[in-house]
Amino acid sequence: MNKLRTIIFSCIAALMVLLFLPLAGTVQADNEAVRAPGAASGTVVNGPVFIIPVDQEIERGLQSFLERGFQEAANYGAVLIVLEIDTPGGRVDSAERIGTLVRDSKIPVVAYIKGNAASAGSYIALSADAIIMKPGSMIGAASLVDMNGKSVEDSKMVSYWKSKMIGAASLNGRDPEVAAGMMDVHLVVNRPELGVNKQAGEIIALSSNEALQAGYADRIAGTEQEAITWLGYSTDDIFRVEHTGAEKMSQFLTHPVVMTILLFVGIAGVFIELLVPGFGVPGIVGTLAFALYFFGNYVAGFAGAETLLLFILGLVMLILELFVPSFGILGILGSISLVAGVVRAAYSFTHALFSLGIAFSAAAVVIVIVAVVFKERGIWNRFILQDSLTREKGFVPVPEKLRLIGASGISVTPLRPAGTATFGGERIDVVTEGGFIEAQTAVSVVKVEGGRVVVKEAAK
């Protein structure tokens, strides 16, 4: 009987080992999945490691920069890409494309959060194969806000962004409820085992220690080199991708305020040169402003050659409208083409229209002031007859015969109503008040209007 019990207990123990052994292996695999092959055994993977900074607002310019960085890493045969993240967030659509770039990378990608991975920055970090945070850094606070910083309440947009955050968190087995709480202000999240207790009206933002406890950080490291070493990669060949001079200039030129100023200077300069020609400087400055506007947006990846073509075409049609009578058709088409080129070149349709509206209004005021001050040089003077028939220029006006008012004379010809009459032997062309007067009839002058002498039949 005792032997039978021993055999039964042995079988149960063996069965329990078989059941839990795979789970233990899975947990170990999950913990080591983010580390390099051989890191657990103490070996080090040699090869180039690329550090790419994510240290600006998330928009298409950053997307273009990261695409260049990933391509350079692939060309050099990099074994690891480190995204050095410190961003306040930005555009959701750009963050989605960057997240896709990170997830589709054939090179392992780790997010090293140096400062803040806020808003859309947290989505990019969650898309990486691992998250390592610097002490004092933060991840989360990913609620949707509009241009004015107000929370977006559109349920469809909120649900969409929540699903994207949950999907990114689930890639590496992170708790999806915490990711949802990072962006849904109305959600209640109570996960004491993760150190997360969120009430309605709050938003989840995790410090480095809180993220480590909640499973939203795999390690806390003071430097990128420490993070790379922990992952099992060599730090002998570290390359840092820097922004080129053109990209830095593009970041400045595509700032909303700078874009508005460039549009203002461009519109005012070009139209002042067109309407009040002869200066030269306004035209040159305006053209340069437009060139900088399109250059900045082109380098940032917002504009293509077609946007510049639209703008030039619109400008040409507006110039032709000044000289070719088209009943306004060229002006309308030119304005549409010009606005389309400016708007398509910008990263945001709304921002572009807003900037264009402010710039155009301000430029219109300046153009009117310049046109009034320099009205004698305006192009409209070419369409106005400037010559005057003055005595100084050799033109002799017809003298008024005021002396004839009240004078009496004889009609030489019939007056029907115009004809000729004599006054004191002087033949004068006259006209009646509308009636017919026969020849050789006594007449008297009623009034004189310039060279026009009005008569009537004299009283008998």
Side-chain angles (χ1 to χ4, degrees):
M1 190 68 176
N2 290 334
K3 289 182 179 181
L4 181 59
R5 288 178 180 176
T6 301
I7 292 171
I8 292 173
F9 280 121
S10 297
C11 290
I12 293 174
L15 183 61
M16 293 294 288
V17 171
L18 290 173
L19 288 173
F20 285 99
L21 186 58
L23 293 177
T26 301
V27 173
Q28 180 66 21
D30 288 342
N31 290 336
E32 297 298 334
V34 295
R35 305 183 69 177
S41 61
T43 59
V44 177
V45 175
N46 293 303
V49 175
F50 271 63
I51 298 176
I52 306 178
V54 182
D55 55 359
Q56 63 183 81
E57 287 191 11
I58 297 169
E59 34 78 24
R60 283 176 59 187
L62 175 63
Q63 178 188 337
S64 299
F65 169 67
L66 290 178
E67 287 173 350
R68 179 173 69 82
F70 273 63
Q71 186 60 52
E72 286 186 13
N75 293 341
Y76 275 83
V79 294
L80 178 69
I81 293 176
V82 179
L83 295 181
E84 186 184 78
I85 299 178
D86 184 11
T87 175
R91 294 179 59 85
V92 170
D93 53 353
S94 294
E96 285 187 69
R97 296 188 186 99
I98 294 172
T100 302
L101 175 69
V102 172
R103 291 191 298 271
D104 292 346
S105 173
K106 296 180 180 179
I107 305 170
V109 181
V110 59
Y112 178 72
I113 302 178
K114 184 179 181 180
N116 297 324
S119 190
S122 60
Y123 174 78
I124 295 174
L126 290 173
S127 298
D129 299 310
I131 298 176
I132 299 176
M133 299 180 68
K134 185 176 183 177
S137 59
M138 181 276 290
I139 183 172
S143 59
L144 290 175
V145 294
D146 58 19
M147 291 174 54
N148 300 316
K150 296 182 179 180
S151 296
V152 175
E153 299 295 336
D154 189 313
S155 58
K156 290 183 179 179
M157 293 184 64
V158 170
S159 298
Y160 174 78
W161 183 231
K162 183 192 293 186
S163 68
K164 301 298 290 187
M165 286 290 292
I166 291 174
S170 301
L171 287 173
N172 293 303
R174 309 189 195 280
D175 190 283
E177 198 173 358
V178 176
M182 287 182 173
M183 62 79 49
D184 190 346
V185 70
H186 303 294
L187 189 66
V188 176
V189 181
N190 186 19
R191 300 299 300 275
E193 71 279 11
L194 301 178
V196 177
N197 183 19
K198 173 192 173 304
Q199 303 301 317
E202 299 175 346
I203 210 76
I204 294 178
L206 303 173
S207 66
S208 55
N209 290 325
E210 291 170 339
L212 186 65
Q213 181 182 353
Y216 271 68
D218 301 295
R219 182 80 172 181
I220 295 178
T223 63
E224 294 91 336
Q225 289 77 7
E226 183 182 337
I228 294 168
T229 300
W230 178 78
L231 289 167
Y233 292 88
S234 171
T235 58
D236 293 338
D237 295 313
I238 295 179
F239 297 88
R240 183 179 182 86
V241 180
E242 299 288 356
H243 292 277
T244 63
E247 287 171 337
K248 290 179 180 178
M249 187 176 181
S250 174
Q251 290 180 25
F252 171 75
L253 294 176
T254 54
H255 189 280
V257 175
V258 177
M259 284 175 56
T260 304
I261 294 174
L262 289 176
L263 288 173
F264 160 71
V265 174
I267 294 171
V270 170
F271 275 89
I272 287 174
E273 190 63 39
L274 289 175
L275 297 176
V276 190
F279 291 106
V281 175
I284 294 172
V285 173
T287 303
L288 180 61
F290 278 126
L292 289 173
Y293 174 85
F294 284 99
F295 170 78
N297 287 282
Y298 179 79
V299 172
F302 306 152
E306 77 284 354
T307 59
L308 182 58
L309 181 62
L310 276 172
F311 179 81
I312 294 175
L313 184 63
L315 201 57
V316 169
M317 285 192 285
L318 286 177
I319 295 172
L320 289 176
E321 176 65 27
L322 296 174
F323 302 98
V324 180
S326 67
F327 305 100
I329 295 176
L330 282 174
I332 294 172
L333 292 177
S335 299
I336 293 174
S337 181
L338 189 147
V339 172
V342 169
V343 171
R344 281 183 59 84
Y347 70 92
S348 168
F349 178 81
T350 305
H351 281 148
L353 285 181
F354 183 72
S355 297
L356 188 61
I358 294 177
F360 186 82
S361 301
V365 174
V366 174
I367 292 169
V368 169
I369 293 174
V370 172
V372 171
V373 173
F374 299 96
K375 57 184 178 181
E376 71 280 357
R377 300 179 62 173
I379 193 173
W380 47 84
N381 290 322
R382 298 180 183 179
F383 309 103
I384 300 174
L385 181 62
Q386 299 293 327
D387 292 331
S388 57
L389 305 179
T390 62
R391 188 184 300 273
E392 290 75 12
K393 292 185 177 182
F395 295 99
V396 179
V398 177
E400 288 188 323
K401 299 179 175 61
L402 298 178
R403 58 183 174 78
L404 294 177
I405 296 178
S408 299
I410 301 295
S411 61
V412 178
T413 64
L415 306 183
R416 313 167 185 224
T420 304
T422 59
F423 297 90
E426 181 182 2
R427 294 172 66 92
I428 303 293
D429 291 329
V430 297
V431 62
T432 70
E433 293 178 312
F436 171 75
I437 300 177
E438 294 180 354
Q440 302 301 315
T441 303
V443 295
S444 62
V445 178
V446 178
K447 58 183 176 180
V448 176
E449 296 175 337
R452 182 170 176 265
V453 179
V454 182
V455 299
K456 69 176 181 178
E457 187 173 353
K460 295 179 181 179

